Structure formats: C-alpha cells, structure tokens
Amino acid sequence: MTEAVQVEVRDRVAVLTLSRPDSGNAIDQEMADSLLKATLHIASDDAVRAVLLTGQGRAFCVGGDVKAFAATGTGASALVDGLTASLHVAVARLARMDKPLVTAINGAAAGAGFGLAILGDVALAARSAKFAMAYGAIGLTPDGGATWLLPRLVGFRQAQRLALTGERIDATEAERIGLITRVIDDDALQAEALAVATTLAQGPRLAFARTRALLHQSLSNGLETQLEREARGIAEAIAGPEGQEGIAAFVARRPADFSGL
C-alpha cells in the first residue's frame, strides 16, 4: 500500500508529498498519522537539512476528509479528535524543527491544507493555486495552526476576512497580502521549490534554527526580552563552528561551506 505521505531525500532535502490525489489530498486518519510519522523521522535525521512539503496531483490539500466525517455520523467528534492529535503534533514539529521548511503549493489549499500551505518559511505557490479557509461553510472552526499563523502573516483584519467570510483568493492576491512568499508558473514550481530548499540545505543549520525560533518568539516577547535573546543567540553562534566558518570564509573572500557542520 502506498504511504499517504511519500518521503524522498534529495541533496539533503527531505521532500514530503501528500499522496491522496484522487481525493485532493484530503486528510484522513491515515494521512495524519503518515504525516506525523514522516515529520518525526525527518526532524530528527541529521542527514536532512531542509524540508519541502508539496502535494501530488492537481490539489495541494483540500483539508479534512469531509466524506469520512459524514460517514462516521455521531462518531465524527472522536474521529476529529484522533485526526487532529496526529496532525497538530506534525504541524508543531514542522514549525519548531531545527531545519527550514519550504512549501510548494501546487493547487487548491483549503481547511487544514490552508494551514499546512502557509506553514513554510518560504511558501511558493503555483499561479493556478487557490486558497480558502472554508470552515464556516460547513459549520466548523479552523485547525492545523491556521489561527496562529494567519494573523502573524497578514495582520488581524485580513485574518478576520479570510477566516470568517471563507473567501477564496488566488495566488496573486495571496502574494499581495503576504500570505505566501512568491507566485511561480505552474510548470516551474517544483523545480524552483527544490532549488530554494537545496540552497537552504547548504546553509548554516543551527543559525537557521535559532533564526526560526527568534522569529516565532518575536510577537510574544517584549523588546528587551527579544534583544536579550538575540544577543545570546549571536554570541553562541559566533563561538560555534558555523560562525567560525562563516567569518573565515568572509575574510578569505570564498563561499562558506557549512555542509560538514
């Protein structure tokens, strides 16, 4: 049986592909568990220095498997509890792991798929991609980290707009409001996303990990606390092998080589 999330490592980049194309990569329990399993593995694998998340087929991820919810009837609440238990640990690990995440949004991103799409440190979307939170239309509330990420990316007012109206926006609008990093032509998306992830994989892993953490902390810390954490972080970085290599390379006017560090 094909895994609901396929994993392939290329040039120290772990490519995670959501693989239920016949259902728009809708998230059922199997996919949530598969994503968690893959995420826990690649997050702790020192051979992996960056992660690329994408979808197979025409959609990135249309969200939870609503047909499965309907088929469960009165057991839907327990089903959703189990699904989110796996999905949310996977989302947290992707957000907190010590390696950068690129998302290649190859098509529709809705519901929990919306949250996964915007989770990337670099979020690249195909020109044909569409985005919608979509929960209100079926009487549900958001999951997948969307309500944490969305206000941080686009501001509170735009977050209200997208979460409450369920408005579907295209990739151009998503880029305009800061929901994604960049729009890419459909036929160039995968190659460009892999190139970006490969470049990140060649960078300073520990420095990137500290930078990710600082950015996540910035909206909950006061200025003085953030300044203290920045000072501590850069002092630790400059004393470590990555900082030493980076400075030596700068002085020698050569590219830094972080690959063995």
Side-chain angles (χ1 to χ4, degrees), residues 9 34 39 43-44 47 60 108 120 128-129 146 149 167 170-171 189 197 245-246 261:
V9 179
S34 186
T39 300
S44 61
F60 174 76
S128 63
L149 278 164
E167 181 179 350
D170 61 21
L189 175 67
E245 164 60 14
L261 304 179

Side-chain angles (χ1 to χ4, degrees), residues 78-161:
L79 185 152
V80 169
D81 273 345
L83 191 154
T84 54
S86 292
L87 175 64
H88 285 182
V89 174
V91 167
R93 185 56 61 93
L94 288 169
R96 304 296 190 197
M97 65 184 176
D98 62 350
K99 50 201 78 178
L101 172 67
V102 176
T103 50
I105 308 152
N106 55 296
F114 181 103
L116 287 174
I118 65 176
L119 186 60
D121 300 297
V122 179
L124 304 177
R127 200 166 297 279
S128 63
K130 299 289 190 291
F131 299 81
M133 291 194 73
Y135 294 95
I138 55 173
L140 300 180
T141 55
D143 64 350
T147 57
W148 186 87
L149 278 164
L150 193 57
R152 287 165 165 77
L153 292 172
V154 302
F156 194 74
R157 185 61 72 200
Q158 290 285 7
Q160 289 174 308
R161 165 199 170 194

Side-chain angles (χ1 to χ4, degrees), residues 54 79 179:
T54 192
L79 185 152
L179 187 68

Side-chain angles (χ1 to χ4, degrees), residues 32-84:
D33 292 344
S34 186
L35 182 62
L36 175 57
K37 176 184 173 183
T39 300
L40 292 174
H41 174 71
I42 58 97
S44 61
D45 186 352
D46 287 339
V48 171
R49 296 176 66 99
V51 179
L52 170 60
L53 176 64
T54 192
Q56 182 182 1
R58 298 180 62 184
F60 174 76
C61 175
V62 297
D65 191 335
V66 179
K67 291 182 179 179
F69 299 165
T72 310
T74 56
S77 180
L79 185 152
V80 169
D81 273 345
L83 191 154
T84 54

Side-chain angles (χ1 to χ4, degrees), residues 134-237:
Y135 294 95
I138 55 173
L140 300 180
T141 55
D143 64 350
T147 57
W148 186 87
L149 278 164
L150 193 57
R152 287 165 165 77
L153 292 172
V154 302
F156 194 74
R157 185 61 72 200
Q158 290 285 7
Q160 289 174 308
R161 165 199 170 194
L162 294 173
L164 295 173
T165 69
E167 181 179 350
R168 186 174 73 164
I169 63 172
D170 61 21
T172 300
E173 173 70 356
E175 180 182 33
R176 186 190 72 79
I177 65 175
L179 187 68
I180 62 168
T181 308
R182 189 156 42 101
V183 179
I184 308 291
D185 288 339
D186 287 34
D187 58 1
L189 175 67
Q190 297 299 335
E192 178 65 14
L194 184 59
V196 170
T198 301
T199 297
L200 290 170
Q202 295 167 350
R205 175 176 163 181
L206 291 178
F208 283 166
R210 290 186 175 108
T211 301
R212 292 184 97 218
L214 284 167
L215 289 171
H216 284 152
Q217 295 160 0
S218 65
L219 293 178
S220 57
N221 287 340
L223 174 60
E224 288 75 13
T225 298
Q226 192 71 4
L227 287 170
E228 173 58 28
R229 292 190 176 177
E230 287 182 350
R232 190 183 317 143
I234 196 170
E236 291 173 355

